Amino acid sequence: MLIDDLAAGLPADRLVRDPDVVGSFAHDEAEWAPYALPAVVVRPHTAEEVQAVVRACLEHRTPLVTRGAGTGLSGGANAVDGCVVLVTDRLTAIKEIDERERYAVVEPGVVNGDLRAACAGRGLWYPPDPASSPWSTIGGNVATNAGGVCCVKYGVTRDYVLGLQVVTGTGELVRLGRRTAKGVAGYDLTGLMVGSEGTLGVITEITVRLRPARAAERTVAGYFDTTVAAGQAAAAVAARGVLPSALELVDRHCLAAVDQWKNMGLSADANVVLLARTDSPGALGEHEAAEILDCFEQAGATWAAQSTDQAEADALFAARRLAYPALERLGPLLTEDVCVPTQAVPEMLARIDAAGRRHGVHIANVAHIGDGNLHPLLVTPAGDESARKNAQAAFEDIISDALDLGGTVTGEHGVGLLKQPGLARELGDGVLAMHRAVKHALDPHHILNPGKVFPEGTPA
Amino acid sequence: MLIDDLAAGLPADRLVRDPDVVGSFAHDEAEWAPYALPAVVVRPHTAEEVQAVVRACLEHRTPLVTRGAGTGLSGGANAVDGCVVLVTDRLTAIKEIDERERYAVVEPGVVNGDLRAACAGRGLWYPPDPASSPWSTIGGNVATNAGGVCCVKYGVTRDYVLGLQVVTGTGELVRLGRRTAKGVAGYDLTGLMVGSEGTLGVITEITVRLRPARAAERTVAGYFDTTVAAGQAAAAVAARGVLPSALELVDRHCLAAVDQWKNMGLSADANVVLLARTDSPGALGEHEAAEILDCFEQAGATWAAQSTDQAEADALFAARRLAYPALERLGPLLTEDVCVPTQAVPEMLARIDAAGRRHGVHIANVAHIGDGNLHPLLVTPAGDESARKNAQAAFEDIISDALDLGGTVTGEHGVGLLKQPGLARELGDGVLAMHRAVKHALDPHHILNPGKVFPEGTPA
């Protein structure tokens, strides 16, 4: 029996069988996606223990779902019936930070914020900063190719992953990638693993590229009456060729929810707030801040200014980061993650408003608006099945609109379970067939997070 | 018969059967790698014609070798016996440059320098700049994940490819990737195609990300007595956290060869020249130039200065770019492309010197030294078989040294044929098995550039 084999191959404290605890690992933060109870939860302490778990699952043809902190928003870490859930919360070593070569080697369970703090102490910077950075893990960030606030200038997780150690779908422990600045030795299997949501291998170690710590940022804030006007301001910034180090949207629903929770004394004067930053040094930074301010004013900001109060600016960014958990306290959230071309952002925001009105759904908005990545949050009263159906209908409409405008169904959260219908429409049959072929090649027994990202079916 | 089928499916001028012309497409610039005569050369004008060629090859199980300008240095585009060579030199349209979203859509045969010039005319910049940029094509750059001078700060080709249109190994014409700033919809098949050297699909269109045009660069030059001293200077720049926009090494053998060819009046006062640039604006740029200068002087430069003569600085960079073709005029070249950690550069340069002495081989050096990517050029007199054997032995020793120092066998040129033994050592059996599985998944009939990158064998 699987559990006996796992117990025989691992120290006793690695297995969790208490039903209450097992139940707490049944799903991530995508409350809308289906999930089941795992047969058992395992918490390996080493790569070799991870390998033992994969081999036991192979032996018994048991599905294996790997998860970090469970902060995913698409159901990618939701358990499937009778599966093993492998939790990385005992794999938390920062093994190495090389200041001269500027890379770090970490285990997958290291929390994003902990790595960033460790780097900051050495004058280094790990840029990817999802809103979940105080809780989410580097392993989970890699599995979903997480984005964040600074991506608009500095790129996403994939841009920082140099190498991985992985247990493959055939139970081998291998190293992919490199530690050098450049390298083209064979296929980019490292990049293929990034964003594959645990369906192609189980990550046991990650080597990330670091940057030198950067200069202090300047903040520009603007208030707008509508999301569309704010979208026009963001599109104007992109069109001028200014590269802000952050360009975020947060609306008054989110600010109110955060304020209600944390009593931060946030302004309620604006319907929509845009928060921009530039980290360019000296005169260039001044010039960029002035350009951004001009874009805000031209687009009809009711108020806009370069912040002279660092504490106030930090509070606004903190509120942006807390928007999701704050709203989640008010009822189940269905979270979109569409990404559209920057010039299509105003139209996309108008269509989101229209979808909310059409289906009678309350939609709050936060967005990494500088790269067109929008997170309309569809809020429903708990237990209201009719509201839930309306929200689902609005969700599908928003996805259609994003595809219609040349966008994608997921900018940074991953496909998981929630975005599979949209994914099939975005990719088409030919590209889905390639996905199935690659999945079958690297996970021939289909044990790795089966049913996630796309329905597997039979490879062509 | 294959050629009859090709002739039936394509306009007459697409097929080239004249033996002299066919022979001119038998290999790229890797003169040391084996090649054979193609059965026929095809020059399709559209993606649909490319698809027709792939389907004919599938029908007849005939190998298909795709090539751009043939400037490859690893034999990746060398013909295999009886193959079809597909040349992209009729697929040269720049289809779109979007100034606001900052992307370009091009056919694979567009020359790198032509795209850069077209972008410059719109205030935009396509960064990847291999030394071959006046001749090499974007399709070839994508197939090898080409690097270049500015990579040390701005990354390589993969960092700029947003999307591809590809004819798959099953003859489907599909679109991969996106045009938005971010996106995680499914596996990164775009990134997987980049650097796969034509073994996983035939690229028919490329969407590349662009950057806003940048400010003028400052140049710092330094003369050194030895490559090792120059390597210490480069390692010091990296260790200080300065990010130059170029950091190149070129030795007097290369300068002399260029001068002999082009009469540029280059200085012969130095054994080794380091060329650094910074494009940071204002005071930061001044600071970085001063830091670089200090690193050069601390490492024992016999002369170093920030250039006040833009024409002289440009001439030195032009000489760097011409080093390969200039040396190639003097006899067959065996070109290394090892990449090591920046702090290991001085030791690697010492080992390159030692390998040359040990085997009696004349080695000239150019290097993208800022990211540890070294190009020792092993020069042999034409027709001297014993010198050729010695060069091959030195080549293998240098690869061993690079692996020993934590490096890779190829930083930017690709594996092709020349680096296959080194690749097998670098990756190991488990990772090679993954390569074979992915290759078999996407090219199930093994018609796409077979035998390149790694020996195929049977997938596990």
Side-chain angles (χ1 to χ4, degrees):
Chain A
M1 204 179 141
L2 169 75
I3 292 178
D4 297 331
D5 277 4
L6 284 171
L10 296 168
D13 66 346
R14 285 9 176 205
L15 264 65
V16 179
R17 302 177 65 176
D18 177 318
D20 289 345
V21 184
V22 168
S24 73
F25 289 107
H27 62 83
D28 62 22
E29 290 191 21
E31 306 186 39
W32 294 66
Y35 58 88
L37 269 189
V40 62
V41 170
V42 292
R43 292 173 138 158
H45 287 216
T46 65
E48 289 69 26
E49 290 182 8
V50 172
Q51 185 179 27
V53 175
V54 173
R55 289 187 164 179
C57 289
L58 273 173
E59 179 78 19
H60 294 274
R61 298 289 190 267
T62 303
L64 175 65
V65 178
T66 305
R67 65 178 267 152
T71 57
L73 295 167
S74 300
N78 284 12
V80 300
D81 195 36
C83 75
V84 173
V85 167
L86 187 159
V87 189
T88 62
D89 61 358
R90 297 295 181 268
L91 292 161
T92 58
I94 297 177
K95 293 176 156 184
E96 187 185 354
I97 295 180
D98 189 313
E99 296 174 28
R100 296 182 153 221
E101 303 295 331
R102 290 198 290 277
Y103 65 75
V105 182
V106 303
E107 289 184 332
V110 170
V111 169
N112 176 297
D114 293 345
L115 174 60
R116 291 161 63 82
C119 291
R122 316 261 196 122
L124 294 167
W125 180 40
Y126 175 67
D129 58 346
S132 61
S133 64
W135 313 287
S136 65
T137 63
I138 301 295
N141 294 172
V142 171
T144 55
N145 188 21
V149 169
C150 72
C151 300
V152 62
K153 184 165 182 176
Y154 291 101
V156 294
T157 301
R158 178 175 287 121
D159 300 313
Y160 292 88
V161 179
L162 280 174
L164 296 170
Q165 188 192 49
V166 170
V167 180
T168 70
T170 56
E172 304 296 317
L173 184 62
V174 300
R175 287 195 176 277
L176 307 174
R178 60 183 202 279
R179 291 187 182 184
T180 49
K182 292 159 68 180
V184 292
Y187 299 154
D188 184 16
L189 298 180
T190 306
L192 184 63
M193 289 288 160
V194 178
S196 67
E197 303 187 33
T199 65
L200 298 179
V202 182
I203 296 165
T204 54
E205 186 189 282
I206 302 143
T207 303
V208 293
R209 188 200 304 271
L210 306 172
R211 296 179 63 98
R214 56 182 175 160
E217 294 174 289
R218 288 177 171 80
T219 300
V220 178
Y223 291 176
F224 296 85
D225 281 338
T226 65
T227 54
V228 174
Q232 285 161 346
V237 171
R240 281 205 200 174
V242 175
L243 284 182
S245 54
L247 185 48
E248 296 289 310
L249 175 148
V250 52
D251 75 6
R252 72 181 160 83
H253 306 299
C254 298
L255 290 177
V258 173
D259 218 29
Q260 191 181 327
W261 183 25
K262 298 286 186 186
N263 293 309
M264 291 170 75
L266 298 164
S267 166
D269 292 348
N271 280 327
V272 185
V273 176
L274 281 192
L275 297 170
R277 279 182 159 164
T278 164
D279 61 3
S280 295
L284 179 62
E286 278 170 36
H287 170 73
E288 288 180 346
E291 288 277 322
I292 292 166
L293 191 58
D294 188 51
C295 290
F296 285 11
E297 286 170 348
Q298 297 279 331
T302 55
W303 175 85
Q306 187 169 337
S307 177
T308 50
D309 181 346
Q310 191 64 36
E312 185 192 62
D314 289 347
L316 285 167
F317 272 93
R320 159 66 186 90
R321 199 168 282 282
L322 292 171
Y324 187 87
L327 279 165
E328 209 178 20
R329 294 171 65 246
L330 308 181
L333 280 183
L334 190 55
T335 308
E336 292 274 13
D337 177 39
V338 293
C339 189
V340 297
T342 58
Q343 300 307 302
V345 163
E347 171 68 14
M348 187 66 221
L349 287 164
R351 293 196 188 190
I352 290 167
D353 284 353
R357 283 195 305 274
R358 190 162 56 244
H359 296 286
V361 178
H362 175 48
I363 300 182
N365 276 289
V366 289
H368 303 304
I369 197 165
D371 38 30
N373 188 193
L374 312 179
H375 296 313
L377 305 170
L378 290 63
V379 188
T380 55
D384 183 337
E385 197 50 36
S386 150
R388 191 182 164 95
K389 278 189 185 143
N390 290 339
Q392 190 66 46
F395 183 91
E396 297 301 335
D397 282 4
I398 289 167
I399 280 181
S400 291
D401 285 326
L403 293 175
D404 185 39
L405 293 172
T408 175
V409 301
T410 178
E412 60 177 12
H413 291 171
V415 177
L417 294 166
L418 286 178
K419 277 109 183 192
Q420 290 196 17
L423 184 85
R425 292 167 57 195
E426 182 172 339
L427 299 189
D429 291 342
V431 177
L432 271 180
M434 294 171 79
H435 277 72
R436 290 198 182 96
V438 168
K439 166 73 170 167
H440 184 69
L442 295 180
D443 178 27
H445 304 295
H446 295 240
I447 62 157
L448 298 175
N449 210 8
K452 304 298 171 59
V453 188
F454 54 89
E456 293 187 25
T458 317
Chain B
M1 202 181 144
L2 169 75
I3 292 178
D4 298 330
D5 278 5
L6 284 170
L10 295 168
D13 66 346
R14 281 22 171 198
L15 265 65
V16 179
R17 304 178 63 177
D18 177 319
D20 288 346
V21 184
V22 167
S24 72
F25 290 107
H27 62 83
D28 62 22
E29 291 192 19
E31 306 185 40
W32 294 65
Y35 58 88
L37 268 189
V40 62
V41 170
V42 291
R43 292 174 138 157
H45 288 217
T46 65
E48 290 69 26
E49 290 182 8
V50 172
Q51 186 178 26
V53 174
V54 174
R55 290 187 164 178
C57 289
L58 273 173
E59 179 77 19
H60 294 275
R61 297 289 189 267
T62 303
L64 175 64
V65 178
T66 305
R67 65 179 267 153
T71 57
L73 295 167
S74 300
N78 285 11
V80 299
D81 195 35
C83 75
V84 172
V85 168
L86 187 159
V87 189
T88 61
D89 62 358
R90 296 296 181 268
L91 292 161
T92 57
I94 297 177
K95 292 177 156 184
E96 188 184 352
I97 295 179
D98 189 312
E99 296 175 28
R100 296 181 153 221
E101 302 296 331
R102 290 196 289 277
Y103 66 75
V105 182
V106 303
E107 290 184 329
V110 170
V111 169
N112 177 297
D114 292 345
L115 173 61
R116 291 161 63 83
C119 291
R122 317 261 197 122
L124 294 167
W125 180 41
Y126 176 67
D129 58 347
S132 61
S133 65
W135 314 286
S136 66
T137 64
I138 301 296
N141 293 171
V142 170
T144 54
N145 189 22
V149 169
C150 73
C151 300
V152 62
K153 183 164 182 176
Y154 291 100
V156 294
T157 300
R158 178 176 287 120
D159 300 313
Y160 292 88
V161 179
L162 281 173
L164 296 171
Q165 187 191 50
V166 171
V167 180
T168 70
T170 56
E172 304 296 317
L173 185 62
V174 300
R175 286 196 177 279
L176 306 174
R178 60 184 203 277
R179 291 188 183 183
T180 51
K182 291 159 68 179
V184 291
Y187 299 152
D188 184 16
L189 299 180
T190 306
L192 183 64
M193 289 288 161
V194 178
S196 66
E197 304 188 29
T199 66
L200 298 179
V202 182
I203 296 165
T204 54
E205 187 189 281
I206 302 142
T207 303
V208 292
R209 189 199 304 270
L210 305 173
R211 296 179 64 99
R214 56 182 175 160
E217 293 173 289
R218 287 177 171 80
T219 301
V220 177
Y223 291 177
F224 296 85
D225 281 338
T226 65
T227 55
V228 174
Q232 285 160 346
V237 170
R240 281 205 200 175
V242 175
L243 284 182
S245 53
L247 185 49
E248 297 289 310
L249 175 149
V250 52
D251 75 5
R252 72 181 159 83
H253 305 299
C254 298
L255 291 176
V258 173
D259 219 29
Q260 192 181 328
W261 183 26
K262 298 284 185 186
N263 293 310
M264 292 169 75
L266 299 165
S267 165
D269 293 348
N271 281 327
V272 184
V273 176
L274 280 192
L275 296 170
R277 278 182 161 164
T278 163
D279 60 4
S280 295
L284 179 62
E286 279 170 35
H287 170 73
E288 288 180 346
E291 289 276 323
I292 292 166
L293 191 58
D294 189 51
C295 290
F296 285 12
E297 285 169 349
Q298 297 281 330
T302 54
W303 176 85
Q306 186 171 338
S307 176
T308 51
D309 181 345
Q310 191 63 38
E312 185 192 62
D314 288 347
L316 284 167
F317 273 93
R320 159 66 186 90
R321 199 168 282 282
L322 292 171
Y324 187 86
L327 279 165
E328 210 179 16
R329 294 170 66 246
L330 308 181
L333 279 183
L334 190 55
T335 309
E336 291 274 14
D337 177 40
V338 293
C339 189
V340 298
T342 58
Q343 300 308 304
V345 164
E347 171 66 16
M348 187 66 221
L349 286 165
R351 294 198 188 188
I352 290 168
D353 283 354
R357 283 194 306 272
R358 191 161 56 246
H359 297 283
V361 178
H362 175 49
I363 300 183
N365 276 289
V366 289
H368 303 305
I369 197 165
D371 39 31
N373 188 192
L374 313 180
H375 296 313
L377 305 170
L378 288 64
V379 188
T380 55
D384 182 338
E385 196 51 35
S386 149
R388 190 184 167 95
K389 277 189 186 143
N390 289 339
Q392 189 67 45
F395 183 90
E396 297 302 335
D397 281 4
I398 289 169
I399 280 182
S400 291
D401 286 325
L403 293 175
D404 185 38
L405 293 172
T408 176
V409 300
T410 177
E412 60 176 13
H413 292 171
V415 177
L417 293 166
L418 286 179
K419 278 106 183 194
Q420 289 195 17
L423 184 84
R425 291 167 57 195
E426 182 171 339
L427 299 188
D429 290 343
V431 178
L432 271 181
M434 295 172 77
H435 277 73
R436 290 197 182 97
V438 168
K439 166 73 172 170
H440 184 70
L442 296 180
D443 178 26
H445 305 296
H446 296 239
I447 61 157
L448 298 175
N449 210 8
K452 304 297 171 62
V453 186
F454 54 91
E456 294 187 26
T458 316

